[in-house]
Amino acid sequence: MTITAGSSERLLTPGEVAALFRVDPKTVTRWASAGRIGSIRTPGGHRRFRESEVRSMLADLTSEATIPPVRP
């Protein structure tokens, strides 16, 4: 289930974020608890994640993994 916040920002569930990062949804929850990724709480207490922030984090991690090491 994907919902929107405000006008156009998509909010993703922990399961959707986990699928993008190929990790367990509980890992995403731990990241949010540790402050590694921002989250929003629904009135029912569930976490939702801004798609733009998730995609940015994923892009940063992907580019870090593909940059070759500097050799003297």
Side-chain angles (χ1 to χ4, degrees):
M1 173 182 139
T2 303
I3 57 178
T4 58
S7 59
S8 63
E9 179 76 36
R10 280 187 63 206
L11 297 177
L12 305 176
T13 66
E16 291 170 323
V17 176
L20 290 171
F21 285 91
R22 296 183 181 175
V23 297
D24 190 89
K26 290 203 180 277
T27 300
V28 176
T29 301
R30 281 193 296 273
W31 290 346
S33 295
R36 291 184 62 192
I37 188 169
S39 66
I40 297 168
R41 291 285 186 147
T42 66
H46 300 279
R47 289 187 191 268
R48 295 294 180 263
F49 302 88
R50 287 185 173 89
E51 183 179 28
S52 60
E53 184 179 348
V54 170
R55 298 259 182 216
S56 176
M57 184 178 172
L58 186 59
D60 288 346
L61 292 173
T62 303
S63 64
E64 286 176 15
T66 58
I67 297 173
V70 177
R71 296 183 186 182

